[in-house]
Amino acid sequence: MRPRLGHIQFLNCLPLYYGLVKNDVLLDVELIKGSPRELTTGLLSGKLDIAPIPAIDYCRYHKSLLLLPNLSVSSDGEVKSILLVSNVPLDELNGKTVALTNTSVTSQALVKILLHYKYQVTPIYIEYPPDLPQMMREADAALLIGDDALRALYQPSPLLKYDLGSEWLDFCGRKMVYAVWAVHREFVKTKPELVKEVHQALYKSLEYSKENLDQIAEYAARWEIFPVGFLKSYFAALHFDFSLPYQEGLLFFLQKSQELGLVDEVAPLNFTGDAL
């Protein structure tokens, strides 16, 4: 049986999958691409076995899911690819409209937490496809994630640009977890050895990528608009750790999400290692 493995179509996941290609591990898994939200749907519907999903989705559906240890998409400050662009300073957004990209949900919650607690403003939120010109025609500020955010960061613009990883660190002094690798509990129960194999392959891929970031940046620059130096800086800003400080950052984020009514509870972080 080939495990069905989700793959986010953003550059931020390239370091985790690049090593799989180099080590020919892709021959042993069925790789299915999608946005973070689509991967959550696929995991819950049984179309995927293992996938990176928005961290807040794990909280919402934790009774059906378990976490893979030591893997996340996180930041410790600047992240570059989670961006709020605005016509006005953020403390002037009260009563104005903010367009949130419809491709993820963790970053949507992050915007709401920061604007509520740090900037003490209450805008009107609308959800929109990630099209910056169209978003700014409909709103005063726009949330972009992934490659859409990178393009907005890279291209000159009169808009104000706020890196939400930096904003989060400035707000609470904690690390921020955007995505986690989740497994359906039924798959862990029936195929524990496959879960172990996929986890080990992803972890080895990550270790390979950490030692070869320059090579990955040069590889990605072949088809992207970004120069190698920009990509090196971006990959260096990303963190894939999910050690205790990152877990504490995620739990604090979930606590604030619960206070704003964005989740019903703060889910316990249950890992596959507890079930195998």
Side-chain angles (χ1 to χ4, degrees):
M1 176 185 179
R2 298 172 69 207
R4 297 163 298 178
L5 180 63
H7 176 29
I8 297 176
Q9 290 179 289
F10 292 152
L11 277 169
N12 61 13
C13 279
L14 182 60
L16 266 165
Y17 289 87
Y18 184 81
L20 294 182
V21 178
K22 287 294 179 182
N23 295 316
D24 293 330
V25 178
L26 281 179
L27 295 175
D28 300 320
V29 299
E30 181 181 353
L31 205 59
I32 300 173
K33 298 179 181 179
S35 72
R37 286 181 98 169
E38 290 169 341
L39 295 184
T40 298
T41 301
L43 198 57
L44 294 173
S45 67
K47 294 180 179 177
L48 290 170
D49 301 312
I50 301 172
I53 63 171
I56 200 168
D57 272 353
Y58 165 76
C59 182
R60 289 170 175 159
Y61 306 110
H62 71 96
K63 293 180 181 176
S64 300
L65 303 172
L66 290 170
L67 296 164
L68 285 185
N70 304 316
L71 292 175
S72 74
V73 177
S74 302
S75 72
D76 186 8
E78 184 184 46
V79 64
K80 295 182 183 288
S81 57
I82 312 290
L83 208 64
L84 186 62
V85 297
S86 180
N87 281 320
V88 298
L90 299 190
D91 59 3
E92 297 179 14
L93 281 175
N94 198 44
K96 297 184 182 298
T97 302
V98 175
L100 304 174
T101 177
N102 62 358
T103 51
S104 185
V105 283
T106 299
S107 301
Q108 290 187 358
L110 181 58
V111 168
K112 293 176 181 177
I113 290 169
L114 289 170
L115 292 183
H116 179 82
Y117 288 106
K118 183 178 181 186
Y119 291 97
Q120 300 179 348
V121 295
T122 307
I124 300 163
Y125 294 107
I126 60 173
E127 194 173 88
Y128 225 86
D131 180 334
L132 183 58
Q134 188 62 37
M135 293 168 94
M136 295 307 295
R137 277 193 283 272
E138 301 291 335
D140 304 285
L143 166 69
L144 294 172
I145 69 168
D147 299 0
D148 299 308
L150 281 179
R151 282 189 281 272
L153 179 67
Y154 180 68
Q155 294 168 345
S157 165
L159 294 169
L160 301 172
K161 301 173 184 177
Y162 294 86
D163 184 304
L164 296 194
S166 298
E167 290 290 321
W168 176 255
L169 183 66
D170 183 58
F171 165 59
C172 65
R174 296 174 187 268
K175 304 176 192 310
M176 179 64 204
V177 176
Y178 307 97
V180 293
W181 262 253
V183 191
H184 201 284
R185 284 177 182 264
E186 188 62 26
F187 189 69
V188 177
K189 182 179 176 181
T190 57
K191 305 290 182 185
E193 291 304 318
L194 278 179
V195 175
K196 282 184 180 178
E197 288 176 16
V198 171
H199 178 243
Q200 289 172 0
L202 286 170
Y203 194 74
K204 286 180 181 177
S205 174
L206 176 59
E207 291 300 302
Y208 177 89
S209 296
K210 283 179 180 176
E211 298 173 359
N212 295 278
L213 282 182
D214 289 356
Q215 183 184 121
I216 297 172
E218 291 168 4
Y219 171 76
R222 295 174 189 171
W223 71 84
E224 292 290 347
I225 64 169
F226 314 115
V228 172
F230 180 87
L231 289 169
K232 284 182 182 178
S233 172
Y234 174 50
F235 291 139
L238 294 172
H239 293 256
F240 300 96
D241 192 358
F242 201 19
S243 59
L244 189 58
Y246 289 88
Q247 295 174 33
E248 291 173 346
L250 175 56
L251 290 171
F252 183 76
F253 169 77
L254 295 178
Q255 176 190 329
K256 292 299 175 188
S257 297
Q258 185 187 31
E259 290 174 9
L260 287 184
L262 303 175
V263 295
D264 294 332
E265 60 178 329
V266 177
L269 302 183
N270 293 321
F271 292 90
T272 54
D274 301 329
L276 296 177

